[in-house]
Amino acid sequence: MITIPYLTALTTYFSYGLLFAFGQFRDFFRKIFDWWHSSNLEGYAPICLGLEDFYIRRLYLRIQDCFGRPIASAPDAWFDVVERYSNDNNKTLKRTDKISRCLNLGSYNYLGFAAADEYCTPRVIDSLCRFSASTCSTRVEGGTTTLHKELEECVANFVGKPAAVVFGMGYVTNSAILPVIIGKGGLIISDSLNHNSIVNGARGSGATIRVFQHNTPSHLEKVLREQIADGQPRTHRPWKKIIVVVEGIYSMEGELCKLPEIVAICKKYKAYVYLDEAHSIGAVGKTGRGVCELLGVDTADVDIMMGTFTKSFGSCGGYIAGSKELIQYLKYTCPAHLYATSISPPSAQQIISSIKVILGEDGSSRGAQKLARIRENSNFFRSELQKMGFEVLGDNDSPVMPIMLYNPAKIPAFSRECLKQNVAVVTVAFPATPLLLARARICISASHTKEDLLKALEVISQVGDMVGIKYFPAEPNKQQQDQQQQQPGKDTIKLD
């Protein structure tokens, strides 16, 4: 749980209230002026209506230059950001021919595979020449190549499950799978901060949904006990199936799931465990096998393992790994497998090659070095940010580290000032986070050098002082500590 300082909460509420009041005031006069002009849509209901539309027009558009910045190079440790301008107060943004070379602290390029790689890239190019860019077909028609079969075997072996199935999009992996494996009469118990793809998949399943407090096993057990005792709504019949859905690393918090405790509780109450490893697979664990390896959990105790290839593997798509019976069932019933175009062959080859590098099957130790570097970089950067006085969420070893901003005015200020100094960061606000909990989300990569991290820390520290987001007192550095030790105290009497 994030505890917001009283004054910070008060000023944040006041800022949003002020923006809301001025927005409503402008909308009032807009209606008056529009009353004099005829409309071709007279008699139609507004297609965009409600607070979401108001939020976009009156709040989001003011700072939309901080989001969706186009890039003109591979998302490596440094990349080219295309400069944009607006002539209508940010309602529309136009690209220029100018680019800025920026330090990349926003991409999910955890192991550095998103740029050209000496092992992966030649093999991806060969697969492009052999299979072309797309299969132009679904998996059950003409969209399954030898690469897809090899990829599924490779993923299953990597995560430690008997079988796996792959999909062309990570988001769809959650949103399309959950309605297939559970339906009416079933119960989904979801972490309160699970990703939107899980939320949409759970809603589309028709199952009853209950939420437990974020990463709190004791509350999960309480919810499980109550729901098992009550049974289904109205009829009170036993649940047909219970699935507990959690994430390995929570993408907006950078926290590791308390998986051992959650697995123990699910075993006790005979509930299935669905683990989303989108941000943890490949990024944590001694050999990159995710939170199960990091936290010492047997993969046999996790019934359904989900992950994506967009983070650590420099590709696209997602996977589900589980028992052979489960995977066979999904291949017969899942819409994402039956109706969607299969994953691109070059993308499949990129994943296969990157897994081989991670496991050292390329004949080098680069995979082990990347894993050691991402862990060292993440822990160093998090520690330094905390020493500076920033409020940083998350756990050690996690490459995701949110810096809390809170106030809406600090969102564009932090983003724009960092960009001026050639550091590209991602800021996140409502609706991706609760209204009061805006943040900058830093993603660390194995491709970052020590010099890159030191530059980033220097810029973030300067901007943090300017914007006022150092909510804790900074620790004195070593030089200041030495000076304090050398100086005699005020009450010290010096004797000859």
Side-chain angles (χ1 to χ4, degrees), residues 350-392:
Q350 168 67 25
I351 303 159
I352 295 168
S353 300
S354 58
I355 289 176
K356 287 183 177 180
V357 173
I358 293 171
L359 296 177
E361 294 177 6
D362 64 330
S364 74
S365 60
R366 290 195 307 122
Q369 291 170 6
K370 285 176 178 287
L371 289 166
R373 199 177 305 123
I374 181 66
R375 183 169 56 252
E376 292 167 5
N377 286 353
S378 300
N379 292 338
F380 168 75
F381 204 80
R382 183 184 302 278
S383 173
E384 292 301 310
L385 286 174
Q386 290 171 337
K387 289 177 184 177
M388 291 175 181
F390 291 102
E391 184 175 358
V392 185

Side-chain angles (χ1 to χ4, degrees), residues 55-85:
Y55 179 85
I56 291 168
R57 289 186 292 104
R58 298 305 183 196
L59 280 79
Y60 173 79
L61 289 182
R62 290 171 175 262
I63 61 171
Q64 73 161 326
D65 60 297
C66 299
F67 306 100
R69 289 174 176 143
I71 64 174
S73 66
D76 204 358
W78 289 78
F79 62 179
D80 297 328
V81 178
V82 178
E83 296 182 12
R84 298 178 293 176
Y85 70 95

Side-chain angles (χ1 to χ4, degrees), residues 291-462:
V291 290
C292 288
E293 182 180 50
L294 181 68
L295 302 178
V297 175
D298 189 347
T299 55
D301 293 332
V302 180
D303 303 284
I304 305 165
M305 299 182 72
M306 175 270 176
T308 62
F309 304 122
T310 51
K311 281 80 177 177
S312 298
F313 306 100
S315 187
C316 64
Y319 68 85
I320 293 289
S323 65
K324 290 182 178 179
E325 294 78 13
L326 171 67
I327 300 305
Q328 195 64 29
Y329 172 74
L330 293 177
K331 288 182 177 182
Y332 287 135
T333 56
C334 181
H337 184 80
L338 297 172
Y339 305 115
T341 302
S342 63
I343 190 171
S344 164
S347 298
Q349 181 62 62
Q350 168 67 25
I351 303 159
I352 295 168
S353 300
S354 58
I355 289 176
K356 287 183 177 180
V357 173
I358 293 171
L359 296 177
E361 294 177 6
D362 64 330
S364 74
S365 60
R366 290 195 307 122
Q369 291 170 6
K370 285 176 178 287
L371 289 166
R373 199 177 305 123
I374 181 66
R375 183 169 56 252
E376 292 167 5
N377 286 353
S378 300
N379 292 338
F380 168 75
F381 204 80
R382 183 184 302 278
S383 173
E384 292 301 310
L385 286 174
Q386 290 171 337
K387 289 177 184 177
M388 291 175 181
F390 291 102
E391 184 175 358
V392 185
L393 305 185
D395 297 318
N396 283 337
D397 289 349
S398 169
V400 181
M401 47 201 75
I403 301 173
M404 299 308 296
L405 303 177
Y406 296 118
N407 198 289
K410 295 180 180 181
I411 301 169
F414 183 80
S415 178
R416 290 165 182 164
E417 290 301 322
C418 284
L419 189 65
K420 285 180 184 177
Q421 300 190 52
N422 298 102
V423 174
V425 297
V426 169
T427 50
V428 188
F430 180 84
T433 65
L435 193 67
L436 292 182
L437 303 181
R439 63 199 68 180
R441 183 176 64 177
I442 306 298
C443 291
I444 298 299
S445 171
S447 61
H448 287 134
T449 64
K450 192 68 174 288
E451 290 73 23
D452 294 337
L453 299 180
L454 291 173
K455 173 182 171 55
L457 288 166
E458 180 184 358
V459 170
I460 290 174
S461 180
Q462 292 174 2

Side-chain angles (χ1 to χ4, degrees), residues 30-213:
R30 179 185 179 185
K31 289 177 182 177
I32 293 176
F33 289 123
D34 287 349
W35 186 77
W36 299 98
H37 302 286
S38 60
S39 172
N40 294 329
L41 298 177
E42 193 170 335
Y44 285 83
I47 197 166
C48 300
L49 188 64
L51 286 175
E52 290 84 359
D53 178 54
F54 174 84
Y55 179 85
I56 291 168
R57 289 186 292 104
R58 298 305 183 196
L59 280 79
Y60 173 79
L61 289 182
R62 290 171 175 262
I63 61 171
Q64 73 161 326
D65 60 297
C66 299
F67 306 100
R69 289 174 176 143
I71 64 174
S73 66
D76 204 358
W78 289 78
F79 62 179
D80 297 328
V81 178
V82 178
E83 296 182 12
R84 298 178 293 176
Y85 70 95
S86 176
N87 293 324
D88 53 7
N89 296 316
N90 257 15
K91 289 183 180 178
T92 58
L93 295 168
K94 297 181 179 179
R95 295 190 303 274
T96 68
D97 295 330
K98 298 179 181 178
I99 59 172
S100 298
R101 189 69 176 169
C102 295
L103 179 59
N104 180 8
L105 295 181
S107 299
Y108 306 131
N109 183 25
Y110 296 145
L111 295 184
F113 283 118
D117 182 84
E118 61 188 70
Y119 182 83
C120 300
T121 305
R123 286 160 178 79
V124 171
I125 294 172
D126 289 343
S127 70
L128 177 63
C129 297
R130 182 182 174 191
F131 293 102
S132 84
S134 173
T135 62
C136 299
S137 183
T138 65
R139 287 292 304 274
V140 294
E141 293 172 346
T144 297
T145 67
T146 53
L147 281 178
H148 293 86
K149 289 293 186 181
E150 182 183 355
L151 174 59
E152 289 175 343
E153 292 174 5
C154 186
V155 169
N157 292 332
F158 183 67
V159 302
K161 280 293 185 182
V165 59
V166 298
F167 305 95
M169 183 180 178
Y171 187 98
V172 168
T173 306
N174 275 329
S175 60
I177 286 294
L178 284 169
V180 175
I181 60 178
I182 193 168
K184 190 175 180 181
L187 173 65
I188 295 175
I189 302 181
S190 178
D191 188 287
S192 60
L193 295 183
N194 273 341
H195 191 263
N196 182 260
S197 60
I198 294 173
V199 173
N200 282 342
R203 288 174 178 170
S205 69
T208 301
I209 303 169
R210 294 292 181 265
V211 175
F212 69 95
Q213 292 172 7

